[in-house]
Amino acid sequence: MTATATSITTVAGLDARPTAGLAGDPAEGLLPLARRADGLVGSVIDSSTSLLAAQTHDVVRFAMGAPAAEMIPTGQFRRIAAEVLDDGSFTYGATEGEPGLIETVVEHASTTPEPTRPERLVITSGGMQGLDLAFKLFVDPGDLVAVESPTYTNGSGTALSYGADLLEVPVDEHGMDVDALEALVAESGRTPRAVYTVPNFQNPSGTTLSEPRRRRLLDLAHRWGAMIVDDDPYGGLRFAGEDVPGFRELSPDDPLVFSVRTFSKVLAPGLRVGWVDADPRLRRLLIAGKQAMDTCTNVPAQHVVERFVRRGGYDEHLAGLRVEYRRRKEAMDASIARHLGSRVRTTDPGGGFFLWVTLQGEDALVATPRLFELALAEGVAFIPGPALSPSGRFPDAFRLCFASTSPERTEVGVQRLARALDLAREEPARPPREDRPGPPRG
C-alpha cells in the first residue's frame, strides 16, 4: 500500500497537514490553494523545536537530531570569521557554490574511498535543499518513490510535496530490506522513479545498510531505471565496527546515484551548508533549480566552512565527535538497561545519533504519541514512531537522540521516561498491534 499526504498523522498537537481547513471557496472565507499544497505535510520533528521552546519547565531533549551544542567549534568559527569575512563575503555568490569551498570538498574527498570532481558538485543550503532538488528533478505527480519504514520524514515529506506516492519498505538490523522492496514493487505493479535511503546509521533506526543490500539495490535501480537518493549525513560518525562501502565506491560515477551530503551533523546545523554529488550532466539543471529557491547558499558560512576544513581541523574534529558520541550512546544504553530493562528493545548503532526503541510485552499497548505527552509533562522529549512513518506506523516505538545530551542528563531523562511509561500503563490500553518486523538490536 502506498502512502499519500493525507496519511501523515498529527502527533501531540503538532499538525503535519497544514492545509486542513484552509482550502476552498474564497466567498466562504477560505483560500484558493493549489492542489500541490496538500503535499506540503510539514515536519513533526522540526515542529518539536518550537514546542520545546514554549516549555517553562526543565526538559531533557532526546527529540531533535542535532549535534551537542558543546561539541560545535564555536570559538574556532568566531576566529575564522574575523579572519576571512570581508566585503566580498556579503554579496551574492555563485549559485553552484563558492569556488574555494568546492575545491576544498574535492580535496577532502580525495582522501576517502569516494573521490569526486568539481563538475559533480553543487553547494546547497543544508542537506534538505539537496533532497528538494533531487525530488524536483526526478519525481512527477503520481510517481512511486520507495522509502525506508521507519524513515526520515523530512525526506519522504519532500517527495510528497512533489506529488509522489510513497512505498514504505521495512527496515531490519541490516537496513532497508531490499528483498522486500523488490517484492513490494512487484506487488504494486509499478516501478519506482526513486528509492530514498539513509544508508549509514539511518534516521531514525540507527541501522546501516549492509554491503550485499547496497549492491542489490544498485542492481534493482538499473533494472528499473530508478534514482538512488543517497542521503548520508552520518557516515563520518562511525565509532564502532567497520566502514561499509558507499554507493559511489561500489559503482563509481553511476548516473543513477544522487548523493546528498551536509556539514550540519558534524559542524553546525545553523550554518546550512551542504552539497550534492551527482552526474555532471545534471549540474546545469541543479543550478537552475537552486536559482529558483535561494540564488546562492549563505556566502559567509561557506567561507567559514572552507577555512575550517582547509586548515585541517575537520578530521580532528570528527575524531573527537566519534569518541564523545560513543560515550553518550553507551551511557544511554546503560540508563535504558537500568530503568527500562526488558520493557523495551533497542537498536545498537555503530555511529550516528539515534536509538530506535520498541516497547515490549504489555507496554507495547501504550501508544507512543500519548507517551510523548506524558513524558513531556515529566520533563523529557522524544519523537514518537508514527511521526517517522508516512502512513503513521510504529505506534509502539520511538526515536531517541543520544548525541545531544550528556551522560548525566541522559540518566535523568531516561528516569523521567520510565515514570511516564508507568503513568501511561495506568491508562486504558489501545488494541494490540499486529505482529510486524522492525529494526531489532544488532
Side-chain angles (χ1 to χ4, degrees):
M1 183 178 70
T2 57
T4 63
T6 56
S7 60
I8 299 290
T9 57
T10 298
V11 176
L14 301 175
D15 197 340
R17 298 165 298 162
T19 65
L22 291 179
D25 187 346
E28 298 177 1
L30 299 174
L31 299 173
L33 296 177
R35 284 190 296 273
R36 75 175 67 89
D38 284 337
L40 303 178
V41 298
S43 168
V44 171
I45 299 170
D46 291 346
S47 296
S48 69
T49 302
S50 299
L51 177 65
L52 293 176
Q55 304 305 304
T56 58
H57 64 297
D58 178 61
V59 178
V60 179
R61 302 185 179 196
F62 298 144
M64 279 298 287
E70 61 272 25
M71 299 302 292
I72 295 173
T74 306
Q76 294 183 62
F77 290 159
R78 287 197 185 107
R79 290 190 291 273
I80 290 171
E83 296 169 7
V84 304
L85 299 187
D86 56 25
D87 291 346
S89 301
F90 297 96
T91 187
Y92 291 113
T95 301
E96 62 269 26
E98 292 295 281
L101 181 57
I102 291 174
E103 179 183 341
T104 299
V105 171
V106 170
E107 288 177 358
H108 188 268
S110 70
T111 68
T112 75
E114 294 187 334
T116 191
R117 307 185 303 278
E119 60 268 25
R120 293 184 58 88
L121 302 183
V122 171
I123 303 299
T124 59
S125 297
M128 279 305 306
Q129 188 177 62
L131 295 178
D132 194 283
L133 287 166
F135 294 120
K136 176 180 282 189
L137 293 190
F138 300 120
V139 174
D140 285 320
D143 282 344
L144 190 66
V145 173
V147 302
E148 293 155 335
S149 186
T151 188
Y152 176 52
T153 43
N154 290 39
S156 61
T158 304
L160 285 173
S161 75
Y162 287 103
D165 292 336
L166 301 185
L167 182 68
E168 294 189 56
V169 183
V171 168
D172 62 19
E173 67 269 29
H174 303 297
M176 177 189 284
D177 186 339
V178 180
D179 288 339
L181 166 64
E182 184 177 20
L184 288 166
V185 166
E187 182 181 337
S188 75
R190 308 161 62 191
T191 55
R193 181 64 66 91
V195 179
Y196 171 58
T197 179
V198 182
N200 294 310
F201 319 119
Q202 192 244 13
N203 182 359
S205 71
T207 61
T208 292
L209 189 64
S210 67
E211 181 178 344
R213 290 188 179 183
R214 295 180 193 220
R215 293 184 182 277
R216 179 82 174 119
L217 183 53
L218 284 163
D219 290 342
L220 291 174
H222 281 270
R223 183 202 303 175
W224 295 330
M227 294 300 303
I228 296 175
V229 180
D230 162 32
D231 182 13
D232 187 18
Y234 308 103
L237 294 174
R238 176 177 288 281
F239 49 65
E242 299 295 323
D243 286 334
V244 181
F247 292 111
R248 289 180 36 249
E249 183 179 355
L250 295 171
S251 187
D253 292 330
D254 194 319
L256 294 183
V257 175
F258 187 99
S259 296
V260 177
R261 303 292 185 262
T262 182
F263 290 106
S264 291
K265 305 301 185 181
V266 295
L267 291 183
L271 291 171
R272 308 312 303 140
V273 177
W275 70 98
V276 297
D277 189 316
D279 189 304
R281 292 172 294 177
L282 291 171
R283 201 171 195 233
R284 288 305 313 166
L285 280 172
L286 289 165
I287 290 170
K290 181 173 165 60
Q291 285 171 342
M293 294 180 187
D294 63 359
T295 302
C296 62
T297 297
N298 183 299
V299 175
Q302 291 187 68
H303 290 176
V304 170
V305 170
E306 175 197 342
R307 179 64 64 89
F308 183 87
V309 177
R310 190 174 290 279
R311 279 184 168 176
Y314 185 68
D315 288 333
E316 181 181 352
H317 177 68
L318 273 178
L321 291 180
R322 294 184 193 112
V323 170
E324 180 61 18
Y325 290 163
R326 178 171 191 155
R327 185 174 80 97
R328 293 180 180 215
K329 184 262 182 181
E330 290 173 347
M332 182 170 278
D333 281 341
S335 292
I336 288 173
R338 275 192 295 273
H339 302 295
L340 291 169
S342 62
R343 302 177 73 178
V344 301
R345 173 169 53 95
T346 69
T347 52
D348 187 23
F353 280 15
F354 304 112
L355 294 182
W356 183 249
V357 183
T358 304
L359 300 174
Q360 301 293 293
E362 293 297 315
D363 289 308
L365 299 177
V366 172
T368 54
R370 174 56 181 158
L371 179 61
F372 173 87
E373 296 172 351
L374 295 169
L376 187 60
E378 289 293 314
V380 61
F382 57 83
I383 300 297
L388 297 157
S389 160
S391 60
R393 301 176 184 181
F394 309 105
D396 56 351
F398 53 93
R399 187 191 81 177
L400 298 178
C401 177
F402 56 78
S404 55
T405 309
S406 70
E408 295 75 21
R409 288 285 286 170
T410 291
E411 175 73 5
V412 172
V414 174
Q415 286 178 319
R416 293 174 180 178
L417 182 56
R419 287 201 301 270
L421 186 56
D422 289 339
L423 292 172
R425 281 287 303 274
E426 296 173 3
E427 297 183 342
R430 61 180 174 84
R433 76 182 192 273
E434 295 180 5
D435 289 337
R436 50 161 178 75
R441 189 174 180 85

